[in-house]
Amino acid sequence: MKYRHLGRTGIQVSELSFGSWVTFHNQADVKAAVDMMAAAYEAGVNFFDNAEVYAGGKSETVMGNALKKLKWRRGSYLISTKFYWGLHNNVNEKNTLNRKRLIEGINGSLERLELDYVDLIYCHRPDKTTPVEETVWAMHNIIEWGKALYWGTSEWSASEIVQAIEIAERHHLHKPVVEQPEYNMFERRRLTGDYERFYKDYGYGTTIWSPLASGLLTGKYQGGIPENSRGSLNGYDWLKDNLTDKEKLAKVAALEPVAKELGCTLPQLALAWCLKNPFVSTVITGASRVEQVHENMKASEVVDKITPELLARIDNIFGVTKEEDDD
Ligand SMILES: NC(=O)c1ccc[n+]([C@@H]2O[C@H](COP(=O)([O-])OP(=O)(O)OC[C@H]3O[C@@H](n4cnc5c(N)ncnc54)[C@H](OP(=O)(O)O)[C@@H]3O)[C@@H](O)[C@H]2O)c1
């Protein structure tokens, strides 16, 4: 496993990390979580991603229980959580980054994770109604109290992040240091164009999500929705159209010979492709079973085999021209 600095921070994250969205509690109980986290950790993963909203808080409970059983040294791994949607459908408690919610949010997460602190906290989405200054101060205070060590953003625009950084700099507060955007062969918006310049200028890190587009890039949806896949889960109907989109499936089929030439599987190729982007600090992988973790962790071995010519071939398959990518 290789490690990359999280932006300009002193912390290094494994280039492949592991997250619990959809899977923990819904598909994986504590035992399965222990098995998958252990497989990832043994492969060198040092960063485990979570959010208070995942499975309504139960994903954090499962991860907390798993960590207790795994008994790893606290210094050897990083845990994150995120706030925005909240756990209660109530005024001041949903879709917000207000100070009260963030403070109550971190306290609840630490309780469910059974940890004294988390390493990273994210504002899971921008909040257009709370003054950014209020959010920046709350994140700063959470760090000052030792409940988290670094903070970041998820799916914020470059200008929103710059605003937060400038407020923090003006008041000598802890700045946000990392963005968590979706990034995969289909979804490239937040790591191209203006963002590239932003990441370069500010040295902002990225922990990217859904590198397999929820499984679409594994090729498993070519013959319809398989049983026990994310696409078959109750409550995830909104994903089905995307997972069975004919045009997208044709692009995935065109990738198969590329993977074959490299002697790897489609998931490994899709993960390694994300790692080719120098602005990616870590690719957060997801898995519903331990075999997937073993397969995905081998993606690191594929990265050096992907040449600029091959990247251009993949761009061609996805209908991305260089100019478009650079917009
Ligand atoms: N910040 C945000 O807004 C945000 C949003 C989403 C996710 N995230 C984070 O990013 C993490 C990863 O996202 P993701 O779970 O969507 O990632 P993904 O890699 O796009 O999808 C993972 C899913 O694909 C399937 N899969 C994985 N490896 C496979 C393999 N080798 N062969 C076949 N199927 C395989 C599994 O689902 P099945 O086996 O069930 O089909 C697995 O749960 C999350 O856990 C979370 O921590 C953050």
Side-chain angles (χ1 to χ4, degrees):
M1 181 68 68
K2 291 194 176 117
Y3 298 83
R4 297 183 181 188
H5 273 277
L6 190 63
R8 281 191 196 136
T9 72
I11 214 82
Q12 293 187 50
V13 282
S14 48
E15 61 179 15
L16 294 171
S17 45
F18 186 75
S20 64
W21 179 53
V22 183
T23 55
F24 281 23
H25 178 73
N26 297 317
Q27 293 172 289
D29 58 10
V30 174
K31 182 179 178 321
V34 165
D35 290 348
M36 290 194 285
M37 288 173 72
Y41 188 78
E42 277 155 28
V45 166
N46 72 350
F47 168 44
F48 297 86
D49 185 64
N50 215 320
E52 72 166 5
V53 75
Y54 294 169
K58 296 199 176 77
S59 173
E60 289 180 328
T61 304
V62 169
M63 193 174 273
N65 285 333
L67 285 169
K68 230 174 172 178
K69 288 189 193 303
L70 287 160
K71 294 193 174 78
W72 298 331
R73 215 168 27 76
R74 185 65 184 91
S76 68
Y77 62 91
L78 306 156
I79 297 283
S80 70
T81 193
K82 320 184 195 80
F83 309 105
Y84 173 71
W85 283 286
L87 296 174
H88 301 282
N89 191 9
N90 187 30
V91 66
N92 293 329
E93 295 189 89
K94 65 169 182 157
N95 303 353
T96 180
L97 298 172
N98 72 54
R99 178 176 181 82
K100 176 175 167 64
R101 180 76 260 292
L102 290 172
I103 308 302
E104 287 175 357
I106 185 65
N107 289 338
S109 289
L110 291 179
E111 218 168 279
R112 285 184 295 275
L113 287 161
E114 298 182 58
L115 294 174
D116 298 331
Y117 69 93
V118 287
D119 300 274
L120 285 165
I121 42 173
Y122 292 90
C123 295
H124 212 156
R125 289 294 180 271
D127 171 2
K128 312 277 182 199
T129 60
T130 299
V132 181
E133 191 163 338
E134 176 173 338
T135 299
V136 173
W137 268 103
M139 297 305 261
H140 168 79
N141 288 143
I142 290 169
I143 292 177
E144 285 289 289
W145 298 331
K147 295 182 185 212
L149 306 184
Y150 300 90
W151 77 277
T153 52
S154 180
E155 299 291 330
W156 283 36
S157 70
S159 62
E160 287 165 333
I161 302 170
V162 169
Q163 194 188 354
I165 290 175
E166 285 178 354
I167 289 170
E169 282 179 341
R170 199 175 311 140
H171 299 283
H172 302 288
L173 308 177
H174 291 285
K175 295 186 253 195
V177 295
V178 59
E179 162 66 12
Q180 188 166 137
E182 182 177 10
Y183 184 60
N184 57 56
M185 287 180 189
F186 286 110
E187 182 53 68
R188 306 171 178 209
R189 274 177 305 168
R190 292 209 191 266
L191 266 106
T192 51
D194 276 354
Y195 280 95
E196 280 191 16
R197 176 152 174 213
F198 162 71
Y199 292 127
K200 209 178 283 170
D201 288 354
Y202 286 84
Y204 212 64
T206 66
T207 60
I208 69 100
W209 60 269
S210 283
L212 301 178
S214 273
L216 173 59
L217 284 160
T218 65
K220 72 205 268 181
Y221 291 97
Q222 293 298 358
I225 296 179
E227 260 177 54
N228 300 322
S229 64
R230 183 174 291 181
S232 73
L233 296 179
N234 284 336
Y236 291 89
D237 295 335
W238 54 275
L239 266 178
K240 280 184 189 159
D241 284 349
N242 196 42
L243 293 170
T244 53
D245 182 290
K246 284 207 174 86
E247 267 180 43
K248 289 188 172 169
L249 287 171
K251 289 175 180 166
V252 177
L255 271 183
E256 264 172 50
V258 181
K260 212 169 249 167
E261 278 169 43
L262 295 181
C264 68
T265 65
L266 271 179
Q268 289 163 349
L269 172 61
L271 296 172
W273 178 88
C274 296
L275 284 171
K276 288 303 279 188
N277 188 320
F279 297 114
V280 168
S281 314
T282 181
V283 171
I284 313 178
T285 65
S288 63
R289 56 208 79 156
V290 74
E291 296 76 22
Q292 294 173 352
V293 180
H294 291 305
E295 178 177 355
N296 296 346
M297 291 300 129
K298 293 202 186 95
S300 291
E301 295 164 21
V302 180
V303 181
D304 288 343
K305 296 186 192 169
I306 303 179
T307 59
E309 293 72 35
L310 207 80
L311 282 175
R313 208 169 128 197
I314 293 171
D315 283 350
N316 197 31
I317 291 172
F318 283 80
V320 176
T321 61
K322 193 68 195 110
E323 290 71 43
E324 240 179 84
D325 214 7
D326 284 348
D327 267 354

